[in-house]
Amino acid sequence: MSITNLQKKKTLIKLLLLEEIDDEELLKFMFKKNQNVHDMFQTRKSEGFFSVLIEKHLFRDQRKFREFFRLSYDQFTYVLNLIEDDIKCNATYTPAEKLALTLRFMATGESLRSLAFSFRISQGYISRIIHLVVKSLSLRLTPLLIAPPTKHNLIHIAEEFWTKWNFPNCTGAIDGKHIRIFCPGKSGSLFFNYKDFFSVVLLAIVDANCKFIFVDIGAYGKEGDSGIFTKSSLYKQIQTGEYFPRDAKLSNCEKSLPYVHVVDEAFRLETHMMRPYTRGEAKKNYKKTIFNYRLSRARRTSENAFGLLSQVFRIFYTPIALKCETIDHLVLSACCLHNLLRNRYIESTNNYYYEFDKNEAPPTKNMIPIARSGGFANYEGFLVRDEFTTFFCSTQGSVPWQDHETQKID
């Protein structure tokens, strides 16, 4: 190879890494002249998904557009305007085409090889497109849709939890789920979880409307219980006393109690973390059974949020075959888009909402709970939990149907 061709090859590779050319152009140079790019890639503009199905049909049908992308046309345009400058790297593929491919990947969990045949884009370059788009989505959408809550926001969230789920002073439900992935190279057992598959952990706080208000993504699958939460940036803020509003009085009651998060047995009991009583304790004490029931009603929002997320973005039904950094951006982007859909942001009255199959069972191998080992508890946490228990069994805090529902559980 001559010096001129060697320099040209190095230049092409640098441009490819910078996302300024696609790998089809590189292949034309690297292979022999008689080994041209396959015809199916050369006919992309006339036969590919985007030019035939999307531009000619879906852009004209709001219902089918939402079924295909999970977003309405207006929402698609809004998101595209936010990230267009970030993903406009070459003239071969338009930003709209890149976003369409990425959303379809998230909506279906389809393999990259299958998408390569549909969109007529080589499999290697699809992975780079997805990385570029989800990175931009997470960067642009997070400040808008999962912004850190203020104390005023937390008070409003607590009011909604009391109104909708009958749990006072609750600023969110915390839960963590395992996101199934293929084993990253040279990772050993770091991502191998207690359910015998490889995963990263999505830890989230959810409000009364099943929207994410805080997410922590990327913890190793082998980690469990509250250890992930105690290493998060939010926990450090809580420890400094800067996160929660001042203690507030419960409804129609003179007793003031701190604002709390509701959690399951995987987390430790603390002043601002309310976990249920053990089954043995609840069986012996009816008041504790009522507390567990009321707490589970509030904590249901986190389970619902994860269920909705995986039903809309079916990528969570399959092991994700991407690099860890890309997976982190993809999960964060999905959480942001989930909030956008829950807000019905930029929705017109004529829009049709995506309807998933209600009879289909949720995934059994993805989105599983983190390990149930809550660790130590502090003394103040026990006192606060007992105060909530007393309130739920009082005239001011009881609800008329709680006795009937707890009897069903027994």
Side-chain angles (χ1 to χ4, degrees):
M1 183 180 292
S2 65
I3 297 177
T4 303
N5 286 342
L6 181 61
Q7 291 175 343
K8 184 177 180 181
K9 180 179 177 181
K10 290 181 178 179
T11 303
L12 286 169
I13 293 175
K14 288 180 180 178
L15 292 173
L16 178 62
L17 294 174
L18 293 171
E19 305 289 343
E20 294 181 1
I21 66 169
D22 60 76
D23 56 354
E24 293 168 19
E25 295 179 31
L26 183 63
L27 288 172
K28 291 179 183 178
F29 176 79
M30 294 182 67
F31 286 123
K32 296 179 180 180
K33 293 183 179 179
N34 60 348
Q35 292 179 326
N36 296 324
V37 177
H38 197 279
D39 291 343
M40 71 175 238
F41 295 114
Q42 294 180 342
T43 57
R44 175 180 57 84
K45 293 185 178 180
S46 60
E47 298 178 1
F49 249 31
F50 189 78
S51 58
V52 176
L53 176 64
I54 298 174
E55 288 187 323
K56 292 184 179 180
H57 298 282
L58 297 185
F59 280 162
R60 304 174 184 176
D61 190 321
Q62 289 289 329
R63 180 188 290 273
K64 295 299 181 183
F65 189 93
R66 175 177 282 279
E67 289 179 1
F68 193 82
F69 290 116
R70 307 302 193 252
L71 303 182
S72 69
Y73 178 78
D74 292 335
Q75 290 170 336
F76 181 92
T77 305
Y78 170 74
V79 172
L80 179 61
N81 290 335
L82 286 177
I83 67 172
E84 185 172 8
D85 292 337
D86 297 336
I87 65 176
K88 186 168 55 178
C89 301
N90 63 64
T92 306
Y93 308 111
T94 64
E97 191 171 5
K98 292 179 180 179
L99 178 60
L101 188 153
T102 303
L103 289 177
R104 186 59 182 169
F105 173 70
M106 295 172 64
T108 63
E110 198 171 347
S111 68
L112 301 188
R113 187 172 182 81
S114 177
L115 290 171
F117 285 102
S118 302
F119 283 86
R120 308 298 176 91
I121 301 174
S122 64
Q123 182 178 343
Y125 197 65
I126 284 179
S127 64
R128 286 190 281 274
I129 289 177
I130 291 174
H131 174 77
L132 182 67
V133 173
V134 296
K135 183 177 181 180
S136 180
L137 284 173
S138 61
L139 177 67
R140 301 298 179 185
L141 294 180
T142 301
L144 300 174
L145 298 169
I146 314 183
T150 63
K151 293 183 178 180
H152 177 73
N153 296 142
L154 293 177
I155 293 173
H156 177 68
I157 291 172
E159 292 173 353
E160 289 189 318
F161 263 104
W162 173 243
T163 302
K164 296 182 177 182
W165 303 104
N166 308 115
F167 202 104
N169 288 16
C170 176
T171 58
I174 304 179
D175 203 357
K177 296 292 182 181
H178 287 281
I179 307 296
R180 191 182 183 98
I181 65 172
F182 281 94
C183 178
K186 300 180 181 180
S187 62
S189 61
L190 288 175
F191 294 92
F192 196 69
N193 63 40
Y194 74 105
K195 286 288 187 178
D196 297 336
F197 64 82
F198 296 92
S199 66
V200 294
V201 176
L202 164 61
L203 183 73
I205 302 178
V206 179
D207 69 7
N209 298 308
C210 301
K211 294 187 295 183
F212 296 106
I213 59 177
F214 172 83
V215 292
D216 184 274
I217 303 163
Y220 295 128
K222 72 170 188 177
E223 300 183 66
D225 60 57
S226 59
I228 298 172
F229 181 65
T230 54
K231 290 190 294 186
S232 67
S233 58
L234 179 64
Y235 185 78
K236 297 175 182 177
Q237 191 176 355
I238 292 175
Q239 291 299 99
T240 59
E242 299 175 356
Y243 181 75
F244 287 102
R246 293 182 179 179
D247 296 359
K249 293 181 179 180
L250 301 181
S251 178
N252 300 323
C253 183
E254 295 298 322
K255 186 69 176 180
S256 294
L257 285 176
Y259 286 91
V260 298
H261 289 133
V262 291
V263 298
D264 59 16
E265 298 90 343
F267 296 85
R268 57 184 294 177
L269 177 66
E270 296 184 2
T271 305
H272 297 286
M273 301 276 284
M274 290 293 101
R275 59 175 284 177
Y277 292 98
T278 64
R279 293 183 180 181
E281 290 179 294
K283 286 183 178 180
K284 295 177 182 178
N285 190 317
Y286 185 66
K287 292 184 178 180
K288 294 179 179 179
T289 303
I290 291 177
F291 172 85
N292 282 3
Y293 173 71
R294 296 284 288 271
L295 183 138
S296 67
R297 270 180 53 83
R299 198 173 58 80
R300 186 187 305 171
T301 56
S302 62
E303 299 292 346
N304 291 347
F306 289 125
L308 291 168
L309 181 69
S310 58
Q311 283 282 3
V312 174
F313 299 107
R314 309 303 283 269
I315 183 64
F316 297 114
Y317 275 72
T318 60
I320 305 177
L322 297 172
K323 294 181 179 179
C324 290
E325 179 187 359
T326 306
I327 292 174
D328 292 347
H329 289 303
L330 184 146
V331 176
L332 180 55
S333 301
C335 292
C336 292
L337 293 174
H338 167 87
N339 281 4
L340 183 142
L341 293 173
R342 293 296 297 171
N343 289 334
R344 294 185 174 181
Y345 193 64
I346 316 180
E347 291 280 12
S348 65
T349 55
N350 296 325
N351 271 341
Y352 297 96
Y353 298 103
Y354 170 70
E355 296 181 1
F356 52 81
D357 187 358
K358 297 180 180 179
N359 296 321
E360 183 175 358
T364 57
K365 295 184 178 180
N366 290 21
M367 289 285 185
I368 66 167
I370 58 180
R372 296 278 196 266
S373 53
F376 298 102
N378 61 27
Y379 179 69
E380 291 79 7
F382 284 106
L383 295 179
V384 174
R385 185 169 65 176
D386 289 342
E387 290 291 345
F388 274 106
T389 303
T390 302
F391 174 73
F392 290 146
C393 297
S394 66
T395 306
Q396 297 85 357
S398 63
V399 289
W401 35 260
Q402 69 183 20
D403 291 329
H404 176 67
E405 294 297 329
T406 50
Q407 286 172 5
K408 283 187 190 178
I409 297 175
D410 292 342

